Amino acid sequence: MRIMVVEDDKTIASGLEFSLQQDGCETIVCHQAGLAEMTIREKINQIDLFLFDLSLPDGSGYDLCQKVKQLSDKPVIFLTALDDEVNVVMGLDMGADDYITKPFRIRELLSRIKSVARRYQKSPNERSVITCQNIKINKSEGKVFKSGEEVLLTALEYRLLLIFANHIGQILTRDQLLERIWDIAGEFVNDNTLTVYIKRLREKLEEQPQKPTIITTVRGMGYRMEELRVTK
């Protein structure tokens, strides 16, 4: 598990980093909100869980929690001083999953982390929210968001996107896509129609549709929804 720790007290942060690594976790540590937000934007798909101190010198854990939840359905735990505990309610309303009051015992924190992580250990088909790069699919509401803004899709575009989203990182052949769209849509979809709908999805989801980084073409094989953003 890779955990991001945002804590301005370097002694506490160092202790957390050591304890988490001893427990088999990888860590990313930040001491300021500004650097943390930049890291969240760039590496959110590589991080499994976030530990945020509520009070930071250049911001707050609330803002970082809000940013995480805008971009992805990832667990957030707050680290809070005793006199801040009453304010955690606001953070929980924002979507934070738990909080722990300082000073705390490391075993208690590790137990909380594992408990929260278990709630998120579901297959893509079971998740009500699926995220990929800056795309968020809320299956329970049938809505799709790009960088926090809702994207309007037709019924068939949405069905096609769900097929990709349920197989992130896997290559899907054109025949597999056609078969699954037909099964789901209950209507005839031919090879040319599939090409058109993939093109439309790219136009709506990609920053540069001619150079897709979300739904990519695997030459001679098919298509794949990429988990990580491709940068050059």
Side-chain angles (χ1 to χ4, degrees):
M1 182 188 302
R2 179 173 288 182
I3 298 176
M4 181 177 185
V5 178
V6 184
E7 167 62 66
D8 65 315
D9 187 316
K10 294 184 179 180
T11 301
I12 295 176
S14 179
L16 284 171
E17 183 176 27
F18 175 80
S19 298
L20 291 169
Q21 290 178 356
Q22 287 293 103
D23 199 55
C25 299
E26 296 180 51
T27 56
I28 298 175
V29 178
C30 296
H31 303 297
Q32 296 178 328
L35 178 59
E37 183 171 346
M38 186 184 307
T39 304
I40 289 168
R41 290 180 181 276
E42 294 176 353
K43 298 184 177 181
I44 191 163
N45 287 315
Q46 302 172 41
I47 301 171
D48 301 303
L49 185 142
F50 298 84
L51 289 178
F52 292 148
D53 186 16
L54 271 186
S55 301
L56 297 165
D58 60 336
S60 75
Y62 296 130
D63 297 332
L64 296 178
C65 176
Q66 193 169 37
K67 177 58 63 180
V68 168
K69 294 301 181 177
Q70 283 176 350
L71 297 175
S72 179
D73 184 31
K74 297 288 182 76
V76 174
I77 297 176
F78 281 137
L79 306 176
T80 173
L82 183 61
D83 56 357
D84 286 335
E85 189 171 353
V86 67
N87 297 324
V88 171
V89 174
M90 184 168 74
L92 296 176
D93 287 342
M94 288 179 179
D97 297 273
D98 202 353
Y99 72 95
I100 187 164
T101 305
K102 302 174 188 176
F104 51 80
R105 286 178 285 191
I106 194 64
R107 287 187 180 181
E108 181 184 359
L109 176 62
L110 293 174
S111 177
R112 297 280 194 94
I113 288 172
K114 290 172 183 176
S115 176
V116 168
R118 280 195 295 269
R119 301 177 206 164
Y120 284 76
Q121 291 176 349
K122 300 178 181 179
S123 68
N125 285 321
E126 294 174 317
R127 296 177 194 154
S128 61
V129 177
I130 302 175
T131 60
C132 180
Q133 299 190 37
N134 62 336
I135 303 302
K136 181 176 180 179
I137 306 167
N138 189 320
K139 293 169 64 176
S140 62
E141 297 180 0
K143 294 182 178 181
V144 178
F145 300 87
K146 175 183 175 182
S147 300
E149 296 291 327
E150 185 174 359
V151 178
L152 298 179
L153 301 180
T154 66
L156 197 50
E157 288 168 354
Y158 179 74
R159 291 164 183 158
L160 179 59
L161 179 60
L162 277 185
I163 294 170
F164 279 118
N166 286 328
H167 299 84
I168 292 175
Q170 300 177 29
I171 298 172
L172 297 173
T173 67
R174 294 182 69 86
D175 286 343
Q176 287 175 319
L177 291 170
L178 285 167
E179 181 181 347
R180 293 177 190 192
I181 289 176
W182 194 329
D183 287 344
I184 296 171
E187 56 192 67
F188 179 72
V189 179
N190 62 29
D191 197 64
N192 290 334
T193 303
L194 176 62
T195 300
V196 170
Y197 276 99
I198 289 176
K199 180 174 182 290
R200 288 181 182 175
L201 272 182
R202 285 172 168 169
E203 289 172 347
K204 293 183 179 182
L205 303 180
E206 301 278 0
E207 296 297 334
Q208 299 183 61
Q210 303 306 317
K211 298 179 180 179
T213 63
I214 299 173
I215 299 174
T216 61
T217 300
V218 182
R219 192 174 299 278
M221 300 181 70
Y223 302 91
R224 176 171 54 206
M225 193 167 189
E226 302 287 354
E227 181 177 2
L228 302 178
R229 183 180 299 279
V230 177
T231 58
K232 297 183 179 180

